[in-house]
Amino acid sequence: MLDLWHTGIVTKLIDETHNTRRFWIQVPDMDRFDFKPGQFVTLDLPIHEKKNKRWRSYSIASHPDGTNTFELVIVLLEGGAGSTYLFNEIKVGSELLLRGPQGVFVLPQPLDKELFLICTGTGIAPFRSMARYIHEHAVPHQPIHLIFGVRYAHDLLYAEEMKQLAQDLPGFNYIPTLSREENWAGRKGYVHAIYEEMLQDKRPANFFLCGWKAMIDEAKQRIQAMGYDRHDIHQELYG
């Protein structure tokens, strides 16, 4: 299954922010595209002769809904060959070669500890999938805290949807934090201060980290410095 490549058809595109785009991809040769929330797909893009330089992996942003369509949210990286191709060449109806789902960045079973979902940028994708899955399937859970760091308010992905989910899903807290926005009534600064503040009592918790390497490295260091075990920390690295 994992090594099989499938042809996906792009069925819908929406610009989510000034530099991110949502891609809906249908896999016609499958009745349903089954995956666990948190998993990713790999795209083979015609941007290099060498296979491993053509492959780009993206976390699935949608939750498994029984259809053969899934969603990715992708940021346009300056000088990034993969994202430049996807933004400039891919239209509705375009084909993409993909394989997956893959990955072990998935929810623990059962959800018997508080869950801290800590992300930056498009790192929110797997957490959106997880939170929506928990909501849709009424999965029993302890409190869940989605701590999402970006620079400015216009960089927040799925903001309205997450606010709504915080109302609809008991025990789900959405905590966007902005590092450079001046006129912002919510949390300012970086994600780390938030979980450190919330966990001064060192209660049992699971940490899921998704985003750029610098954020993940710092979070791992800080979480272990607070007295948590490295086995409480799960990560998905971007870039």
Side-chain angles (χ1 to χ4, degrees), residues 221-233:
Q221 213 173 336
R222 287 181 179 233
I223 291 163
Q224 290 182 74
M226 291 161 68
Y228 288 96
D229 190 278
R230 61 187 177 85
H231 296 109
D232 297 328
I233 306 171

Side-chain angles (χ1 to χ4, degrees), residues 12-227:
K12 187 174 165 187
L13 294 167
I14 288 182
D15 286 335
E16 177 73 358
T17 67
H18 72 287
N19 66 343
T20 58
R21 185 171 294 168
R22 298 166 68 181
F23 293 74
W24 279 262
I25 300 168
Q26 184 180 34
V27 189
D29 68 356
M30 300 171 94
D31 289 334
R32 47 192 291 163
F33 187 79
D34 272 329
F35 61 95
K36 290 178 178 167
Q39 289 190 304
F40 64 86
V41 294
T42 298
L43 305 181
D44 185 343
L45 306 173
I47 52 175
H48 202 279
E49 282 148 35
K50 290 186 179 160
K51 276 186 184 177
N52 59 348
K53 299 215 169 160
R54 297 200 305 256
W55 293 351
R56 296 290 185 277
S57 295
Y58 299 100
S59 294
I60 301 169
S62 49
H63 62 287
D65 61 2
T67 71
N68 62 355
T69 299
F70 62 90
E71 180 189 333
L72 303 178
V73 61
I74 295 171
V75 62
L76 178 59
L77 293 174
E78 214 171 308
S83 62
T84 300
Y85 174 82
L86 288 166
F87 273 67
N88 292 345
E89 305 299 330
I90 295 300
K91 313 280 184 272
V92 169
S94 295
E95 293 187 352
L96 287 167
L97 199 57
L98 63 97
R99 74 171 179 195
Q102 292 168 279
V104 293
F105 188 70
V106 295
L107 287 165
Q109 305 281 355
L111 297 178
D112 54 0
K113 289 193 218 173
E114 272 189 55
L115 209 47
F116 283 78
L117 308 175
I118 303 162
C119 57
T120 46
T122 52
I124 192 173
F127 300 151
R128 176 189 185 230
S129 180
M130 289 175 184
R132 292 196 53 174
Y133 177 85
I134 289 167
H135 179 49
E136 301 279 329
H137 295 271
V139 179
H141 61 89
Q142 297 298 311
I144 300 167
H145 313 282
L146 174 62
I147 305 172
F148 181 26
V150 290
R151 290 176 178 179
Y152 298 102
H154 68 235
D155 297 319
L156 286 169
L157 298 164
Y158 305 116
E160 292 311 312
E161 184 184 316
M162 290 301 116
K163 281 185 217 161
Q164 188 61 49
L165 198 57
Q167 292 179 0
D168 298 343
L169 177 57
F172 176 72
N173 301 306
Y174 169 57
I175 311 165
T177 179
L178 308 183
S179 59
R180 298 196 184 171
E181 188 76 54
E182 292 185 8
N183 304 318
W184 171 251
R187 293 296 306 235
K188 288 181 183 170
Y190 296 103
V191 293
H192 309 292
I194 298 175
Y195 58 79
E196 287 178 333
E197 199 179 285
M198 291 174 75
L199 287 167
Q200 285 174 2
D201 61 358
K202 308 286 182 279
R203 61 191 182 272
N206 261 314
F207 301 87
F208 279 71
L209 313 173
C210 191
W212 300 109
K213 185 176 186 308
M215 184 278 284
I216 288 185
D217 287 348
E218 185 172 346
K220 284 199 299 199
Q221 213 173 336
R222 287 181 179 233
I223 291 163
Q224 290 182 74
M226 291 161 68

